Structures are given as structure tokens and as C-alpha cells.
Amino acid sequence: MQKNQDLGFTEITPKAEIETSRHGGRAKCLQRLIRLDMPVPRTVALDFDAVHGVSAGELPDLDAMMELFGPDPLVSVRPSSEDPDWGGPGAILNIGMNDKVHAHLIESHGETAANALYLRFIQSYAVHVGRLDPDEFDALDTPTADTLREALELYEEETDEYFPQDPKVQLKEILRSMARAWEGTTARLLRQAKGAPADAGLGLVVQKMVLGVGQGICGSGVIQFVNGTTGHREIRGRYLCKSQGRDALTEAEDRDVMYLTKDPRGRSIEEVLPQNFADLVRYGDFCRARLREEMEIEFTIENEELFILDAVRVPRSERANVRIAVGLAKDEIITRSEAVLRIPPRALAELLHSQIDPEGTRDHFARGIAASPGAATGKIVFNARAAQTLASQGEDCILVRRETSPEDIRGMHAAKGILTIRGGITSHAAVIARGLGLPCVVGAGDLTLNKRKGELVNSDGRTLREGDVISIDGSAGEALVGSVDMLPPELGESFQTLMTWADELRDIGVRANADTPPDARNARMFAAEGIGLCRTEHMFIDDDRLLAMREMIFADHTDDRRAALDRLLPMQRADFTELFEIMQGQPVCIRLFDPPLHEFLPHGREGLRELAEALDLPLKDVERRVAGLREFNPMLGMRGVRLGVTVPEIYDMQARAIFEATVEASKSGAPVVPEVMIPLVSAKREVEIVKARVDAVAAAVRIETGADFTYRLGVMVETPRAALRAGEIAQHAAFMSFGTNDLTQMTYGLSRDDAGRFMGEYVSQGVYEEDPFHMLDADGVGELLEIGANRGRTENSDLTLSICGEHGGNPESIRFCRDAGFDYVSCSPFRVPVARLAAAHLAITSPKPNVT
């Protein structure tokens, strides 16, 4: 029977016009099961328009519908949205139960089973249609005649109406209730939060009930053929046996449970009902091969006859999803491209990091911004020194700070996770944590840190002390009290296979931001195509280097500065040599020194006293010098190329270290072609001045070593002016790498470290669609990128273009860069797999036209 204007519904048959976009996923899946000759009970579907009409009082022909199900029909109604993740109202079973059907069931199935079926329907109808208090009806859980009478009397008392006996009336009210529930404000907001469009429709399916109770062997259950946690192939599920008139609709005893496969603990379907079990396995194979997915099958057995009620995609973890998709592709059920598309890029975070077991308990202490994914447990420490001390003793710790600074780098390396009270998605703590692969929560503004007392207090007054154990979930932005169960990272064969397929498909490069040899090793582990940003300032944090750096800062004369820098030269050379060797001939882009000098100086009085002792200077002189270096707005002050122009000895030392390392590393491997990047450029003349000095250093190293080498010099575009004047700057640059962290900050006039305090309110009120430090602002900052790219390539057609800010790992930013013709993106090592997979998705869904 096909849908027509009079009926308002469609019987699901192999040839019926059932479409996911009109009837929903459940209706379409049931049709596919029917086409596979599975024993699906008679089912009809209401499409989105019909359900919307029901909510407005326009009902389908219920007489014609109920006639399909025979005399005294019993049916169920289930939701059928376009995407099952969008949710919907719960299914309602046993529609049509009334006093007459109840009496018949007593004769055929026994009083207990009949009472249980009727009682369950009364409870569902009262709660979902009558909107009565569920607690009152849930208390009536014993399937006796007295309990059934109490339920009917309670319904009458609460509604001033008798419980409806007409199946058509029952069905009408249930359809109307489910349709209106879907269109309610709460339901709409919930599904929009899951990605559903505001006008998403709901379909409904009405299916003949198979009770699964009788005098023979009966029961109901679900079966799946894959482990939803691991992705390994195995038969799993449950089956509740209701044989020989026994009622198991109430709490079952052990003997009412029948295992699916042979099990020493008791009976199994495989042994007792071998044909039914064989059919279930066969149907599972059909689903996998024909529906091209691992499905969970809901079934009922009534007097040894098998019925398939529904099939849904097996619920799964992200790690299982990868294994399942790869397995389907290897078995040639789906293509490699489809396997790649089935894995959301951001979902890879669950595989790359330890995760908190979702089935465990959580004792929440604070919430903040999810700044770096993963989870960790450790003792609270409030400074870098304490973190290093605990790490040296083999104990795990979580570094808790108001906000971090370069002085905290060593403590961040020692810690297992980071929690800060201030900061946003691109704050110092967030950026460094992502580079290190550490879980990090920032902007936990409800916390109060009292370092003097060694206490951390939340908004409820709950207090934790230094040394107490906490856990942080960097994926959810939560801090928890105590230790929790963890799931380990999963980088096995399926993950590696998936990433290999992604690399074969993508058409934009992916590099890593890596500042140290461990970072570079992570970059290699995640198959980055080189280093797109090496921030050299992070190499100066160790104690021996920090003192030399401070001596250079305090030097009054050029010769004194050179003397201090000469001590740093061999250390920098060794750093770069190791980076080049680890990357094995892949490009390494080294950003020259960028931060303001005051970041390398102590702030507290104790630190200033220690510095005075180390430099053999009076404390007042040290305090005066430190005060003289302070700036009103240091991020817009003496930093980046401005240091290179005014204190050129720093860049001279770094250039020499890079070129001497190039010569050294090239002796034992492929020739190294380093990329030297000038930060914070805003004028062509800045590039000319620095380039002249770098070229001079390169010439000197060639003469001194007798070795020839090449290098590429480029700029980091972080200021709006650099983007606007990119044409003239590109005349002196081989590449331009857009630093979107600072470019966003300067374009908006917004501190990336302070934005977290109010950004949530801005987004919620629609001022910004999204935090611009979290997702690239394609309209404003993006326009500057396009202007810079176009003007730069107009003057220099060979100019290499990239972005190296934190946006580089976002799928949305990669789309923008790919469309704009950028050559590569660069991001933190642990975000490289996400970027590789996102780039593959884009190449599959939006292939570039072939250029002949």
C-alpha cells in the first residue's frame, strides 16, 4: 500500500518510496532489512510532513492504518529522525492493550504475562501522553491483578477520565504526543546542539507488536557482531528468555537469562535454538555486507519463531570506529575514501591521548576551557620547581598556576597536566601544552589560588591543598578530585593504516610546530612533513642557558653581549643539529628570537636576589635594570624583528648556530636546507636589514667551514600591516608563514590571554560566531590572509604560503588555506594527525579541478 493524500502513511515494503530525507533513518533501515528478506513485522511509516501535520491536528487515516494490523491489534511507535544522533521521543510499546485484549492474553499467555504487558502500557501512556508523575506509576511494578487495578484507578483519579479502551484513540494520542514533543523548545535546542538544523523533521514508524511471550521458548534481545569499545569482531549482546509462560518482563532471575553463544554459566541460544542463532548470524553478515556497516539487531523470538524488529548502527568509541572502518575497507565492503570519511578528524584526540573512562565516576571540582586534549592524574603543585622535584622522585603531578609564563616551561615538561585559572585557547599554557601533548584546562575562573597557604578553593568553598591528588580532562575542560580510571592511547595498526590512506588522498602539506628534540620526535612519529615553526626562545629556559641569557640582557656594551651569546652559541648549534638529524632532510623552519627580553627575568624579590648573586651585582642595580625593561604593553613592544634590528647580536648568534648546524648535520645525512623566519615583521626595511646580516653570517660560515649550503629566508606575518604590504615584503622573502595567533590578536585588538574571561558571553550573545582564537575568523582575519597571499604571490610567484598559528590544526582553517592556495599548514605535533585527516576529507569531498 503506497502513501496517498487520504491515508497519510506508507506501508514499508521492498518497493515503497521510503527515503531517509523524508521518513528518517529508522524507516529506511527497516525497508533495507525487508529487502534482505528478514522477518520484519508489518510496519508503516509517517513522513516528516505527516508528523508535522499530526502536531497541528491533521491525523492520518487511523482506521485504514489499524486495519493493516488485523483485529485487536497491538502495535509500537518509534521515532525515525534523519540522523539517529539527533534523538527524539522514546518508543512506546503495546499500543492497543485494553481490557478485552488483556482477557484474551490471560487465556493464551497466562495471567502474569498479560498483567505485565497491560501494566507496562498503562505506565507509558500515563507518563508520555497524560504527562503524569512517573514516580507514582513506577512504584506499581508487580504484575498482579491488584496492581493493575491500582494503576487504572490512579490514571482515572489523576485525569478524571477512564483509561482509553479504543486502540485508535490510544494511537491518535500517542502520535500527537510524540509529534509535539519533537517540536517543543527543549527538544529543538537539544538536537540543534547535536548539529541538527532548526527545521529538522521527525518521522514515525508504527509496527506490529511481537510480544515474545508464549507457551514455547520465547524472549527478546539484541545482538551485535563487534565490540563497541575495541572494534574487534565478536558476538555480543543480551537475550531475556520468557519461556513456557514465565513472565520475565519484571526483574529476571538468573535462569531467565539465556546467553547468545555457548557459555559455561548457563544456557545459550546457540545450543537451545540453533536455527534461530544461525539466522541471526546470517542476518548480521547481510547487514555488514549489504548495509555496509556493523549493526546491532533487535530481535524477538516467539514460540521459537524469529522476528527482526530493528537494526541500528553499533554504538562505539572512536577507537572502535577506526578499527571498524578500516576493517570494512580491507574487506572491500566500503572504499578507502569512505573509510577515511567515516572518521571525524577531531575524534582522533581520543586515540592520541589517554582518556578518562566514560563509565567511571567523576567528582567535579572545577570547569574551564578545554585547551589541550587528553587526561592525567597527579598531585597538585603550584610552581615549576615543585613539579620538577616530584618528577625526579617518580611521582606524577598536575601544575596549577594562575597563568603560565616562559619561567614555567621546565615545570610544564615535568608535569602530567596543566590547570590555570586565567587564559584562553591560545594562552601560553594552552599552546605549550598542545605542543607537549599534555592535557590542559585553562580559564578555570571559579578557582582561587592561595600560594601562601598552599590552597586551591573552588566556588563552593571546597578546598584542596598542595599534594592532594586531582585529575584533569583536557578534552572536556574539567578538573576532578582524586584519581580516575583511564583508557590508554590507541595508535595501533588500524590507526596507522587509516593515516596512510589519508596521506594518499590529501593535497595540502602538514608540518608540525616543534621547539625541542622531543617535539621533533613526536612530529616524526605523527608523520609531519617537516617543522613549520620552531620557536627558539624555548631553548633558553634551562638553568645554564638562562643565566647566560640574563647576562646578555644586562650587558651594557656590544662586546659584553657577544661574550654572553658566545656561551649560548654551541648550545644553540647542538639544538639545531639534533633537530636537523631527527627530521632527516625534511624542511625545518626556525623562527628567530621573538619574545620581549623581560620574560627571561625573574619577577619576585627572591628571584631578583638570586639573579643579583649570580651576576655579582647590587640588588638595587638589578631591580633598576629589570624595571627599565618593563613595558606598558610588552606584546606590542620590543620583541620580534625589533630586537633583531636594535640588538642584532642575538640574531647573528642564532643565524651562525643554524648554519654551522646545517654543515654538521649535512655530513651524515641528506643535505639540510634550513628555513630562517623573521618574526613580527611590519615593514620591508626590517626584512632588508635582517636579511643583510643573515646573508653576511652565512657567507662567513661558508668561508670558515669550506662547506657550501643553501637556505631559505622568510617572514612570519603577524601584523595587519605585513599582510597589507605583503607585495613589497615578498620581494625579499622565499616564504610567508601567517602567525594567526598574533594576527588575530592585533586585528581584533583583543588579548588572547584575557579573552577567555568574557568570550563565552560574546559567543552566546552572537557578537562572535565562535572564539576567534579557537576558530579562524574567515571574514576578518581571513581577508587579511587572502590579501597578503595574493599580493605576495603577485610580486613573487614562487612564494611559499602557510599558516603556523594554532588554527593550523583546525579542519575549518585547513579548508580556508586549501581554498586560498596555501602550500601547507603547521600545528602542534599531537594535532598533526587531525590536520592530515581533515585535509584528506577536503580532498575527497571538494576535489580540486585538474590543471592542464
Side-chain angles (χ1 to χ4, degrees), residues 406 428 533-540 549 572 590-600 631 634-644 650-651 654 677-681 716-719 739 741-742 745-746 752 804:
H428 179 270
L533 173 63
C534 173
R535 293 162 288 209
T536 54
E537 57 269 14
H538 293 159
M539 300 174 173
F540 296 108
M549 191 69 183
Q572 283 267 276
I590 299 170
R591 184 179 74 182
L592 299 175
F593 191 84
D594 178 53
L597 294 177
H598 78 90
E599 288 194 1
F600 292 88
E631 297 176 291
M635 296 312 292
L636 298 178
M638 184 71 77
R639 55 168 286 217
V641 70
R642 299 156 197 167
L643 278 172
I650 299 176
Y651 282 8
Q654 290 194 299
M677 184 157 66
I678 308 171
L680 210 71
V681 165
M716 193 169 184
V717 179
E718 303 166 87
T719 67
N741 296 351
D742 268 335
Q745 183 169 237
M746 295 187 189
R752 67 189 189 189
C804 60

Short mmCIF file of all heavy atoms in Angstrom, two decimals, residues 406 428 533-540 549 572 590-600 631 634-644 650-651 654 677-681 716-719 739 741-742 745-746 752 804:
data_model
loop_
_atom_site.label_atom_id
_atom_site.label_comp_id
_atom_site.label_asym_id
_atom_site.label_seq_id
_atom_site.Cartn_x
_atom_site.Cartn_y
_atom_site.Cartn_z
N PRO A 406 57.07 31.83 30.41
CA PRO A 406 58.24 31.05 30.00
C PRO A 406 59.02 30.46 31.17
O PRO A 406 59.66 29.42 31.01
CB PRO A 406 59.08 32.07 29.22
CG PRO A 406 58.07 33.00 28.63
CD PRO A 406 57.00 33.14 29.69
N HIS A 428 49.51 31.05 26.77
CA HIS A 428 50.81 30.38 26.85
C HIS A 428 50.65 28.93 27.29
O HIS A 428 51.23 28.00 26.68
CB HIS A 428 51.71 31.15 27.83
CG HIS A 428 53.07 30.55 28.01
ND1 HIS A 428 53.35 29.61 28.98
CD2 HIS A 428 54.24 30.74 27.35
CE1 HIS A 428 54.62 29.26 28.92
NE2 HIS A 428 55.17 29.93 27.93
N LEU A 533 57.32 25.55 12.33
CA LEU A 533 57.62 26.62 13.28
C LEU A 533 58.42 26.05 14.43
O LEU A 533 57.93 25.20 15.18
CB LEU A 533 56.33 27.26 13.81
CG LEU A 533 56.50 28.27 14.95
CD1 LEU A 533 57.31 29.47 14.48
CD2 LEU A 533 55.13 28.71 15.49
N CYS A 534 59.64 26.51 14.56
CA CYS A 534 60.49 26.18 15.72
C CYS A 534 60.70 27.49 16.47
O CYS A 534 61.38 28.40 15.99
CB CYS A 534 61.82 25.58 15.28
SG CYS A 534 62.97 25.34 16.66
N ARG A 535 60.12 27.59 17.67
CA ARG A 535 60.21 28.81 18.47
C ARG A 535 61.47 28.72 19.32
O ARG A 535 61.50 28.05 20.35
CB ARG A 535 58.96 28.95 19.34
CG ARG A 535 57.70 29.21 18.53
CD ARG A 535 56.43 28.92 19.30
NE ARG A 535 56.24 27.48 19.47
CZ ARG A 535 55.06 26.88 19.58
NH1 ARG A 535 53.95 27.59 19.51
NH2 ARG A 535 54.98 25.58 19.74
N THR A 536 62.50 29.42 18.90
CA THR A 536 63.82 29.23 19.52
C THR A 536 63.89 29.74 20.94
O THR A 536 64.77 29.31 21.70
CB THR A 536 64.89 29.95 18.67
OG1 THR A 536 64.50 31.33 18.50
CG2 THR A 536 65.03 29.31 17.31
N GLU A 537 63.00 30.62 21.36
CA GLU A 537 63.08 31.13 22.72
C GLU A 537 62.89 30.05 23.77
O GLU A 537 63.37 30.17 24.90
CB GLU A 537 62.04 32.24 22.94
CG GLU A 537 60.62 31.86 22.67
CD GLU A 537 60.20 32.12 21.24
OE1 GLU A 537 61.09 32.34 20.39
OE2 GLU A 537 59.00 32.08 20.97
N HIS A 538 62.21 28.95 23.39
CA HIS A 538 62.00 27.88 24.35
C HIS A 538 63.28 27.09 24.61
O HIS A 538 63.31 26.24 25.50
CB HIS A 538 60.90 26.95 23.85
CG HIS A 538 59.55 27.61 23.82
ND1 HIS A 538 58.51 27.15 23.05
CD2 HIS A 538 59.09 28.71 24.45
CE1 HIS A 538 57.46 27.94 23.21
NE2 HIS A 538 57.80 28.90 24.05
N MET A 539 64.31 27.35 23.83
CA MET A 539 65.58 26.66 24.04
C MET A 539 66.44 27.32 25.12
O MET A 539 67.49 26.80 25.48
CB MET A 539 66.37 26.61 22.73
CG MET A 539 65.65 25.88 21.60
SD MET A 539 66.56 26.01 20.04
CE MET A 539 65.63 24.90 18.99
N PHE A 540 66.00 28.47 25.62
CA PHE A 540 66.83 29.23 26.56
C PHE A 540 66.40 29.07 28.01
O PHE A 540 66.87 29.80 28.87
CB PHE A 540 66.79 30.73 26.19
CG PHE A 540 67.38 31.05 24.87
CD1 PHE A 540 66.57 31.42 23.81
CD2 PHE A 540 68.75 30.97 24.64
CE1 PHE A 540 67.10 31.72 22.56
CE2 PHE A 540 69.29 31.25 23.40
CZ PHE A 540 68.46 31.62 22.36
N MET A 549 71.65 34.00 29.16
CA MET A 549 70.70 34.91 28.54
C MET A 549 70.55 36.17 29.38
O MET A 549 70.51 37.29 28.86
CB MET A 549 69.35 34.19 28.38
CG MET A 549 68.35 34.94 27.52
SD MET A 549 68.88 34.96 25.79
CE MET A 549 67.58 35.95 25.08
N GLN A 572 72.95 26.36 21.15
CA GLN A 572 72.00 26.52 20.03
C GLN A 572 72.40 25.65 18.84
O GLN A 572 71.56 25.01 18.21
CB GLN A 572 71.96 27.98 19.60
CG GLN A 572 71.16 28.88 20.53
CD GLN A 572 69.71 29.02 20.07
OE1 GLN A 572 69.41 29.85 19.22
NE2 GLN A 572 68.83 28.21 20.62
N ILE A 590 62.93 27.71 11.23
CA ILE A 590 63.35 28.20 12.54
C ILE A 590 63.01 29.68 12.66
O ILE A 590 63.49 30.50 11.88
CB ILE A 590 64.86 27.98 12.74
CG1 ILE A 590 65.18 26.48 12.67
CG2 ILE A 590 65.32 28.57 14.06
CD1 ILE A 590 66.65 26.17 12.61
N ARG A 591 62.17 29.98 13.63
CA ARG A 591 61.84 31.38 13.87
C ARG A 591 62.89 31.99 14.78
O ARG A 591 63.19 31.46 15.84
CB ARG A 591 60.46 31.50 14.54
CG ARG A 591 60.02 32.94 14.74
CD ARG A 591 58.65 33.02 15.38
NE ARG A 591 58.68 32.68 16.80
CZ ARG A 591 57.60 32.63 17.58
NH1 ARG A 591 56.41 32.89 17.07
NH2 ARG A 591 57.71 32.32 18.85
N LEU A 592 63.45 33.10 14.36
CA LEU A 592 64.43 33.80 15.19
C LEU A 592 63.74 34.34 16.45
O LEU A 592 62.52 34.41 16.54
CB LEU A 592 65.09 34.93 14.39
CG LEU A 592 65.86 34.45 13.15
CD1 LEU A 592 66.38 35.65 12.35
CD2 LEU A 592 67.01 33.53 13.54
N PHE A 593 64.56 34.71 17.40
CA PHE A 593 64.09 35.08 18.73
C PHE A 593 62.93 36.08 18.67
O PHE A 593 63.00 37.08 17.96
CB PHE A 593 65.27 35.67 19.51
CG PHE A 593 65.00 35.84 20.97
CD1 PHE A 593 65.19 34.80 21.85
CD2 PHE A 593 64.57 37.06 21.47
CE1 PHE A 593 64.95 34.95 23.20
CE2 PHE A 593 64.34 37.23 22.83
CZ PHE A 593 64.53 36.17 23.69
N ASP A 594 61.87 35.81 19.46
CA ASP A 594 60.66 36.63 19.33
C ASP A 594 60.23 37.38 20.59
O ASP A 594 59.86 38.54 20.50
CB ASP A 594 59.50 35.75 18.85
CG ASP A 594 58.20 36.52 18.74
OD1 ASP A 594 58.18 37.57 18.08
OD2 ASP A 594 57.20 36.08 19.32
N PRO A 595 60.21 36.78 21.80
CA PRO A 595 59.55 37.43 22.93
C PRO A 595 60.33 38.62 23.47
O PRO A 595 61.54 38.75 23.24
CB PRO A 595 59.46 36.33 23.97
CG PRO A 595 60.63 35.46 23.69
CD PRO A 595 60.79 35.47 22.20
N PRO A 596 59.65 39.51 24.23
CA PRO A 596 60.36 40.61 24.88
C PRO A 596 61.34 40.08 25.92
O PRO A 596 61.09 39.04 26.54
CB PRO A 596 59.24 41.43 25.52
CG PRO A 596 58.08 40.48 25.62
CD PRO A 596 58.21 39.54 24.48
N LEU A 597 62.44 40.78 26.10
CA LEU A 597 63.52 40.28 26.97
C LEU A 597 63.10 40.13 28.42
O LEU A 597 63.63 39.29 29.15
CB LEU A 597 64.74 41.21 26.87
CG LEU A 597 65.42 41.25 25.50
CD1 LEU A 597 66.57 42.25 25.51
CD2 LEU A 597 65.92 39.87 25.09
N HIS A 598 62.13 40.94 28.86
CA HIS A 598 61.77 40.88 30.28
C HIS A 598 61.19 39.53 30.68
O HIS A 598 61.17 39.17 31.85
CB HIS A 598 60.75 42.00 30.61
CG HIS A 598 59.35 41.68 30.17
ND1 HIS A 598 58.45 41.02 30.98
CD2 HIS A 598 58.70 41.92 29.01
CE1 HIS A 598 57.32 40.87 30.33
NE2 HIS A 598 57.45 41.41 29.13
N GLU A 599 60.71 38.74 29.69
CA GLU A 599 60.16 37.42 30.03
C GLU A 599 61.22 36.48 30.57
O GLU A 599 60.88 35.47 31.18
CB GLU A 599 59.49 36.80 28.79
CG GLU A 599 58.19 37.46 28.40
CD GLU A 599 57.39 36.63 27.42
OE1 GLU A 599 57.86 35.52 27.06
OE2 GLU A 599 56.30 37.08 27.02
N PHE A 600 62.50 36.79 30.35
CA PHE A 600 63.57 35.92 30.83
C PHE A 600 64.13 36.39 32.18
O PHE A 600 65.11 35.84 32.67
CB PHE A 600 64.69 35.85 29.80
CG PHE A 600 64.27 35.14 28.55
CD1 PHE A 600 63.66 35.82 27.51
CD2 PHE A 600 64.43 33.77 28.42
CE1 PHE A 600 63.25 35.17 26.37
CE2 PHE A 600 64.02 33.10 27.29
CZ PHE A 600 63.43 33.80 26.25
N GLU A 631 57.56 47.05 30.07
CA GLU A 631 56.85 47.80 29.04
C GLU A 631 55.37 47.86 29.40
O GLU A 631 54.84 46.95 30.03
CB GLU A 631 57.04 47.14 27.67
CG GLU A 631 58.48 47.11 27.20
CD GLU A 631 58.63 46.37 25.88
OE1 GLU A 631 58.46 45.14 25.87
OE2 GLU A 631 58.90 47.03 24.87
N PRO A 634 53.96 44.80 26.57
CA PRO A 634 55.14 44.10 26.03
C PRO A 634 54.88 43.30 24.76
O PRO A 634 55.78 43.13 23.95
CB PRO A 634 55.54 43.18 27.19
CG PRO A 634 54.34 43.08 28.06
CD PRO A 634 53.62 44.37 27.94
N MET A 635 53.64 42.82 24.55
CA MET A 635 53.38 42.06 23.34
C MET A 635 53.40 42.93 22.10
O MET A 635 53.48 42.44 20.97
CB MET A 635 52.04 41.33 23.45
CG MET A 635 52.00 40.28 24.57
SD MET A 635 53.43 39.17 24.55
CE MET A 635 53.15 38.27 23.05
N LEU A 636 53.32 44.25 22.30
CA LEU A 636 53.41 45.18 21.18
C LEU A 636 54.66 46.05 21.30
O LEU A 636 54.75 47.09 20.65
CB LEU A 636 52.17 46.08 21.14
CG LEU A 636 50.83 45.37 20.93
CD1 LEU A 636 49.69 46.38 20.95
CD2 LEU A 636 50.83 44.60 19.62
N GLY A 637 55.61 45.60 22.09
CA GLY A 637 56.79 46.42 22.35
C GLY A 637 58.04 45.90 21.68
O GLY A 637 58.04 45.52 20.51
N MET A 638 59.14 45.86 22.46
CA MET A 638 60.45 45.47 21.94
C MET A 638 60.53 43.96 21.87
O MET A 638 61.03 43.29 22.77
CB MET A 638 61.55 46.02 22.86
CG MET A 638 62.95 45.74 22.36
SD MET A 638 63.39 46.70 20.89
CE MET A 638 63.71 48.28 21.65
N ARG A 639 60.07 43.41 20.76
CA ARG A 639 60.11 41.97 20.56
C ARG A 639 60.20 41.70 19.06
O ARG A 639 60.08 42.60 18.24
CB ARG A 639 58.86 41.28 21.14
CG ARG A 639 57.55 41.83 20.63
CD ARG A 639 56.35 40.95 20.99
NE ARG A 639 56.31 39.74 20.20
CZ ARG A 639 55.19 39.17 19.75
NH1 ARG A 639 54.02 39.73 20.01
NH2 ARG A 639 55.23 38.06 19.05
N GLY A 640 60.44 40.42 18.72
CA GLY A 640 60.49 40.02 17.32
C GLY A 640 61.59 40.73 16.56
O GLY A 640 62.69 40.94 17.06
N VAL A 641 61.27 41.11 15.33
CA VAL A 641 62.27 41.72 14.47
C VAL A 641 62.81 43.02 15.06
O VAL A 641 63.94 43.44 14.75
CB VAL A 641 61.65 41.97 13.07
CG1 VAL A 641 60.60 43.08 13.12
CG2 VAL A 641 62.73 42.32 12.06
N ARG A 642 62.06 43.65 15.94
CA ARG A 642 62.53 44.89 16.56
C ARG A 642 63.78 44.64 17.39
O ARG A 642 64.68 45.49 17.47
CB ARG A 642 61.41 45.50 17.41
CG ARG A 642 60.18 45.85 16.57
CD ARG A 642 58.90 45.90 17.37
NE ARG A 642 57.74 45.85 16.47
CZ ARG A 642 56.50 45.62 16.88
NH1 ARG A 642 56.26 45.41 18.16
NH2 ARG A 642 55.52 45.60 16.01
N LEU A 643 63.83 43.47 18.03
CA LEU A 643 65.06 43.09 18.74
C LEU A 643 66.17 42.83 17.73
O LEU A 643 67.34 43.18 17.97
CB LEU A 643 64.81 41.84 19.58
CG LEU A 643 64.16 42.02 20.96
CD1 LEU A 643 63.83 40.65 21.54
CD2 LEU A 643 65.09 42.79 21.88
N GLY A 644 65.81 42.18 16.61
CA GLY A 644 66.82 41.87 15.61
C GLY A 644 67.46 43.11 15.01
O GLY A 644 68.63 43.08 14.61
N ILE A 650 71.86 39.15 18.81
CA ILE A 650 71.06 37.94 19.10
C ILE A 650 70.82 37.16 17.81
O ILE A 650 71.06 35.95 17.74
CB ILE A 650 69.72 38.32 19.76
CG1 ILE A 650 69.96 39.04 21.09
CG2 ILE A 650 68.85 37.08 19.97
CD1 ILE A 650 68.68 39.54 21.75
N TYR A 651 70.36 37.85 16.77
CA TYR A 651 70.08 37.17 15.51
C TYR A 651 71.37 36.70 14.84
O TYR A 651 71.39 35.65 14.17
CB TYR A 651 69.30 38.08 14.57
CG TYR A 651 67.82 38.18 14.90
CD1 TYR A 651 67.29 37.63 16.06
CD2 TYR A 651 66.94 38.83 14.03
CE1 TYR A 651 65.95 37.74 16.36
CE2 TYR A 651 65.58 38.94 14.31
CZ TYR A 651 65.09 38.40 15.50
OH TYR A 651 63.76 38.50 15.78
N GLN A 654 72.14 33.39 16.46
CA GLN A 654 71.23 32.33 16.04
C GLN A 654 71.48 31.91 14.58
O GLN A 654 71.45 30.72 14.27
CB GLN A 654 69.78 32.80 16.22
CG GLN A 654 69.36 32.91 17.68
CD GLN A 654 67.86 33.03 17.83
OE1 GLN A 654 67.24 33.97 17.32
NE2 GLN A 654 67.25 32.08 18.53
N MET A 677 63.19 32.21 9.67
CA MET A 677 61.98 33.04 9.65
C MET A 677 62.13 34.25 10.58
O MET A 677 62.48 34.10 11.75
CB MET A 677 60.76 32.22 10.04
CG MET A 677 59.45 32.98 9.94
SD MET A 677 58.01 31.90 9.76
CE MET A 677 58.01 31.06 11.34
N ILE A 678 61.82 35.41 10.06
CA ILE A 678 61.89 36.66 10.82
C ILE A 678 60.51 36.94 11.39
O ILE A 678 59.54 37.07 10.64
CB ILE A 678 62.33 37.83 9.93
CG1 ILE A 678 63.62 37.48 9.18
CG2 ILE A 678 62.52 39.09 10.75
CD1 ILE A 678 64.00 38.51 8.12
N PRO A 679 60.38 37.08 12.72
CA PRO A 679 59.05 37.27 13.32
C PRO A 679 58.62 38.73 13.41
O PRO A 679 59.43 39.65 13.43
CB PRO A 679 59.24 36.68 14.72
CG PRO A 679 60.68 36.93 15.04
CD PRO A 679 61.43 36.84 13.73
N LEU A 680 57.31 38.91 13.47
CA LEU A 680 56.66 40.18 13.77
C LEU A 680 57.04 41.31 12.80
O LEU A 680 57.16 42.47 13.17
CB LEU A 680 56.95 40.61 15.21
CG LEU A 680 55.85 41.44 15.88
CD1 LEU A 680 54.64 40.58 16.16
CD2 LEU A 680 56.35 42.10 17.14
N VAL A 681 57.23 40.96 11.55
CA VAL A 681 57.59 41.96 10.54
C VAL A 681 56.40 42.88 10.26
O VAL A 681 55.25 42.45 10.26
CB VAL A 681 58.04 41.25 9.25
CG1 VAL A 681 58.07 42.19 8.08
CG2 VAL A 681 59.38 40.60 9.46
N MET A 716 57.40 35.89 9.13
CA MET A 716 56.17 35.49 9.80
C MET A 716 55.24 36.70 9.79
O MET A 716 55.56 37.76 10.32
CB MET A 716 56.48 35.06 11.23
CG MET A 716 55.34 34.33 11.92
SD MET A 716 55.92 33.60 13.47
CE MET A 716 54.44 32.74 14.00
N VAL A 717 54.11 36.52 9.14
CA VAL A 717 53.14 37.62 9.01
C VAL A 717 52.20 37.57 10.20
O VAL A 717 51.33 36.71 10.29
CB VAL A 717 52.36 37.51 7.69
CG1 VAL A 717 51.34 38.65 7.59
CG2 VAL A 717 53.31 37.53 6.50
N GLU A 718 52.41 38.50 11.13
CA GLU A 718 51.61 38.54 12.36
C GLU A 718 50.95 39.89 12.58
O GLU A 718 50.15 40.03 13.50
CB GLU A 718 52.49 38.23 13.57
CG GLU A 718 53.21 36.89 13.49
CD GLU A 718 54.30 36.80 14.52
OE1 GLU A 718 54.00 36.40 15.66
OE2 GLU A 718 55.47 37.14 14.21
N THR A 719 51.31 40.88 11.78
CA THR A 719 50.72 42.20 11.92
C THR A 719 49.86 42.51 10.70
O THR A 719 50.17 42.08 9.58
CB THR A 719 51.81 43.29 12.04
OG1 THR A 719 52.52 43.38 10.80
CG2 THR A 719 52.79 42.95 13.16
N GLY A 739 51.24 33.88 11.15
CA GLY A 739 51.06 33.53 12.56
C GLY A 739 49.70 34.01 13.02
O GLY A 739 49.55 35.17 13.45
N ASN A 741 47.83 33.43 15.54
CA ASN A 741 47.56 33.80 16.93
C ASN A 741 47.70 35.31 17.12
O ASN A 741 46.77 35.99 17.56
CB ASN A 741 48.54 33.08 17.87
CG ASN A 741 48.38 31.58 17.84
OD1 ASN A 741 47.44 31.06 17.26
ND2 ASN A 741 49.30 30.88 18.46
N ASP A 742 48.87 35.85 16.81
CA ASP A 742 49.10 37.29 16.97
C ASP A 742 48.31 38.10 15.95
O ASP A 742 47.85 39.21 16.25
CB ASP A 742 50.59 37.61 16.85
CG ASP A 742 51.29 37.61 18.20
OD1 ASP A 742 50.60 37.83 19.21
OD2 ASP A 742 52.51 37.39 18.24
N GLN A 745 44.97 38.53 17.31
CA GLN A 745 45.04 39.42 18.46
C GLN A 745 45.12 40.88 18.02
O GLN A 745 44.43 41.76 18.53
CB GLN A 745 46.27 39.05 19.31
CG GLN A 745 46.43 39.84 20.58
CD GLN A 745 47.49 39.23 21.49
OE1 GLN A 745 47.22 38.91 22.61
NE2 GLN A 745 48.70 39.09 20.98
N MET A 746 45.96 41.15 17.02
CA MET A 746 46.14 42.52 16.57
C MET A 746 44.98 43.01 15.71
O MET A 746 44.64 44.19 15.73
CB MET A 746 47.45 42.64 15.80
CG MET A 746 48.67 42.39 16.66
SD MET A 746 50.21 42.73 15.78
CE MET A 746 51.40 42.06 16.96
N ARG A 752 44.72 37.67 23.70
CA ARG A 752 44.37 36.25 23.65
C ARG A 752 44.43 35.61 25.02
O ARG A 752 43.81 34.58 25.27
CB ARG A 752 45.28 35.52 22.67
CG ARG A 752 46.72 35.43 23.11
CD ARG A 752 47.60 34.88 22.00
NE ARG A 752 48.93 34.58 22.45
CZ ARG A 752 49.94 34.25 21.65
NH1 ARG A 752 49.72 34.17 20.35
NH2 ARG A 752 51.12 33.99 22.12
N CYS A 804 50.98 29.01 10.62
CA CYS A 804 51.64 28.24 11.68
C CYS A 804 51.08 28.58 13.05
O CYS A 804 51.64 28.20 14.06
CB CYS A 804 53.15 28.48 11.65
SG CYS A 804 53.64 30.20 11.88
#
